[in-house]
Amino acid sequence: MGPAGTWSPFHADILRSYSWSVNICGRKKWLFFPPGQEEALRDSHGGLPYDVTAPEFLESHLHPVLEVTQEAGEMVFVPSGWHHQVHNLEDTISINHNWINGCNLANTWRFLQQELCAVQQEVSEWRDTMPDWHHHCQVIMKSCSGINFEEFYHFLKVIAERRLPLVKKIGPGEVRCSEDSGLGPQHAIFDISRIAEVLASVVVNPDFQRVDTSKFLPQPEDLLQQLQEALATTDPL
């Protein structure tokens, strides 16, 4: 909800999630930059602009690739990783939702690695003198991004443990996994395959290997094996 003239600064959605926004009333102007184009907007310190409509950007060639005017009753879908800035042209009420699924899960993992790298660079001068420096980097990362590597693993685990029983119950020619799940077999298999791909990258990541996983159940390597074994029993998509 926002009155005419208010706006949201230049940003990409949290954890590189997808999002949609529906206008209940009012009008908005969206300025979109596809993934990678925001790099041309960084300053000498690597920071992104707060306002891409500032004079220094309007006078340059760095214009948004896509400008959209959203009317009342219309929905805008924001792809993963697209930076954008939104202006309320009138008094506006909208409903928004963000989500992560198998299609953008790898983008989320890539974003988290970049976030941790940024934290490590910021506190690099204390690397040799701060006890548990790597642990503190994870703590700082969580305070900035809302999640760290440990919690990302548990996120993968929760989704995997909900999908694995569905895949194991799929019979020949079935078009739904179960009446309760509402998922088709290809959907469940797709999710398992994407989780397996990301988890395979997670378990070999040097920073994740520094996380204390001794109390994780199942162990990350064991969960990965379960996913791979489940995929081996299914037909390829």
Side-chain angles (χ1 to χ4, degrees), residues 116 134-135 138 148-151 153-154 202 205-216 219-220:
L116 181 60
H134 289 284
H135 170 72
Q138 293 281 342
N148 57 22
F149 280 15
E150 176 180 349
E151 292 180 342
Y153 168 72
H154 288 297
V202 170
N205 180 277
D207 289 298
F208 181 77
Q209 291 175 346
R210 294 186 176 97
V211 174
D212 181 7
T213 63
S214 60
K215 296 183 180 180
F216 287 12
Q219 286 290 294

Side-chain angles (χ1 to χ4, degrees), residues 82-154:
W82 280 61
H83 282 71
H84 51 282
Q85 185 168 315
V86 190
H87 294 256
N88 291 318
L89 303 178
E90 301 174 355
D91 295 346
T92 302
I93 298 175
S94 61
I95 299 175
N96 309 285
H97 180 66
N98 294 75
W99 78 99
I100 297 169
N101 61 20
C103 294
N104 63 346
L105 183 62
N107 292 345
T108 298
W109 170 231
R110 190 178 305 112
F111 167 74
L112 292 176
Q113 293 175 84
Q114 293 169 347
E115 287 293 284
L116 181 60
C117 182
V119 169
Q120 291 173 338
Q121 290 177 351
E122 286 294 322
V123 297
S124 59
E125 62 183 291
W126 294 286
R127 184 182 186 119
D128 297 327
T129 57
M130 179 186 293
D132 298 324
W133 181 82
H134 289 284
H135 170 72
H136 286 294
C137 287
Q138 293 281 342
V139 172
I140 296 170
M141 174 189 174
K142 180 179 177 180
S143 70
C144 296
S145 304
I147 189 173
N148 57 22
F149 280 15
E150 176 180 349
E151 292 180 342
F152 182 65
Y153 168 72
H154 288 297

